[in-house]
Amino acid sequence: MNPLPPWSREVSEALSRLSPTGDPLEQVQELRRSLGSPEAARIAAEQARLRDRARTKLRDADRLFLTRQGLEQSTPWPVAAARAQRIRGWKADARVLDATAGLGGDALELARSGLQVLAQERDRTTAGYLRQNFLASAQPATVWIGDARNPPVRRADVLLVDPDRRARGQRSLRPEEWSPPWSTCLELLRRFPEACIKLAPGTRPESLGTETGPVSWQWVSLDGELKELALWSGGLALSPGEVREACALRRTADGWDRVSFQGEPRPGPHLGPEQARTVRWIAEPDPAVVRSQLVGPLALTEGLASLGPGLAYLGGAAETPPSSPLLQSWKV
């Protein structure tokens, strides 16, 4: 007997009656009373818990149908929205193939920005959740069941791939153990020149071969927490010579602010012991700046220097604090 899907009419109606701020135990009791079936109540209660966890990560979480693993692997919506805006800035009506769509965290934001979305997911069950999430969000998209190694279309303006680094049951740092493996990602880059490949922020670009054309690397942080490394290729890459970008997304009273810094990784100046004792300001770079190895170029731009060899903390002797929003500063 097939399990009852969470988007079945009785479960969906029961979920719609729950208060998003209600007590979890009282919610479970209410679901048992209203649904009658213990199995239906269990499924609805699981969705209620997942939606509660998803509210800080996914937009319109109370409409979505979620799985625990899918939620863990979903991109936070401000990061996904910033990616969609970058693609839209390159081509406003771009046709984007999300070859590893999952529950639709990225694909939904692509659709919300007005882009044409082709969403592919290899797992049949997850693809069912993906379809329902597009229906629940009233966003247009075409959804396929298929492997990223064999895209269902021959042409798309942009390819988006998020290799699964837990394909063998535990997180792996070996690119050929990802799904799809890195060699397949490179083959896809040759087929789709304009692409974005999402990687773990700890990935070292120099350890990956990218002999497929112009690429640039973007480290993204969200409210001071490093979230991902993105490889951008073709027309979506930065201009020649600016191969790295640190991008910080910060919450503001009006929404989200985006600040970025571009450059080539190179060491900056550092202070001697006596110089370090005379600084007026100490500054800590955003983690996206640190991981992208752009601390030196940013320090030179701001007239700062490292407090010591190899240290990310910067010091300056100016009367005013550093101006870059990528730096958190303290007066000495």
Side-chain angles (χ1 to χ4, degrees):
M1 182 177 178
N2 293 327
L4 190 69
W7 49 85
S8 63
R9 182 179 58 82
E10 55 267 46
V11 173
S12 294
E13 290 179 355
L15 286 170
S16 68
R17 291 193 294 266
L18 291 180
S19 170
T21 58
D23 178 77
L25 182 58
E26 292 179 356
Q27 288 181 340
V28 172
Q29 293 173 342
E30 170 60 25
L31 289 170
R32 287 176 177 171
R33 285 193 299 267
S34 62
L35 288 169
S37 164
E39 176 64 9
R42 182 193 65 78
I43 293 171
E46 175 68 7
Q47 285 301 304
R49 285 192 295 268
L50 291 172
R51 288 178 175 184
D52 183 59
R53 289 171 50 191
R55 288 190 190 104
T56 59
K57 190 174 188 180
L58 300 176
R59 192 162 11 202
D60 297 332
D62 290 320
R63 298 181 184 178
L64 302 180
F65 297 99
L66 308 168
T67 64
R68 180 183 59 80
Q69 181 178 355
L71 177 57
E72 290 174 355
Q73 296 179 345
S74 292
T75 304
W77 79 260
V79 178
R83 186 187 344 272
Q85 288 305 313
R86 177 166 178 158
I87 295 172
R88 182 175 172 80
W90 174 71
K91 186 176 181 180
D93 60 346
R95 191 172 184 233
V96 185
L97 169 61
D98 185 346
T100 51
L103 296 179
D106 271 288
L108 285 167
E109 292 302 328
L110 293 170
R112 286 190 180 100
S113 70
L115 298 167
Q116 303 176 57
V117 178
L118 310 173
Q120 176 177 271
E121 170 54 42
R122 66 177 181 175
D123 180 74
R124 186 172 297 274
T125 300
T126 305
Y129 280 75
L130 176 63
R131 286 194 182 98
Q132 293 300 320
N133 286 339
F134 271 105
L135 290 173
S137 302
Q139 296 296 334
T142 302
V143 177
W144 279 285
I145 299 174
D147 195 291
R149 289 172 287 191
N150 186 26
V153 295
R154 293 188 176 183
R155 295 188 62 186
D157 296 309
V158 179
L159 171 72
L160 174 60
V161 180
D162 183 6
D164 183 0
R165 292 173 289 279
R166 302 180 186 178
R168 300 193 178 186
Q170 59 183 2
R171 191 183 301 274
S172 174
L173 297 178
R174 298 180 179 180
E176 285 307 302
E177 293 182 355
W178 299 345
S179 180
W182 184 247
S183 57
T184 299
C185 292
L186 293 179
E187 293 174 8
L188 290 171
L189 282 178
R190 297 184 185 97
R191 180 172 168 183
F192 300 93
E194 273 69 41
C196 176
I197 300 180
K198 296 166 53 180
L199 302 166
T203 305
R204 295 169 52 247
E206 55 270 20
S207 68
L208 301 172
T210 56
E211 65 285 352
T212 58
V215 300
S216 62
W217 304 90
Q218 179 193 49
W219 283 259
V220 183
S221 69
L222 182 67
D223 270 344
E225 181 179 353
L226 196 60
K227 289 299 181 182
E228 72 174 33
L229 165 62
L231 177 152
W232 294 91
S233 68
L236 292 166
L238 299 176
S239 58
E242 295 179 331
V243 295
R244 296 194 175 191
E245 177 186 9
C247 175
L249 302 172
R250 302 286 177 85
R251 192 190 306 270
T252 67
D254 300 323
W256 290 88
D257 187 30
R258 179 184 181 276
V259 182
S260 67
F261 180 79
Q262 302 169 4
E264 296 180 348
R266 61 183 58 157
H270 66 267
L271 302 173
E274 294 302 321
Q275 292 174 305
R277 293 189 180 95
T278 63
V279 300
R280 295 171 183 243
W281 296 93
I282 292 178
E284 179 183 10
D286 185 271
V289 176
V290 177
R291 182 61 72 175
S292 61
Q293 298 180 316
L294 294 178
V295 174
L298 180 60
L300 289 171
T301 300
E302 293 290 321
L304 304 173
S306 171
L307 293 178
L311 295 181
Y313 283 95
L314 306 174
E319 293 285 346
T320 57
S323 60
S324 173
L326 291 170
L327 296 171
Q328 185 176 7
S329 305
W330 297 272
K331 190 173 183 178
V332 178

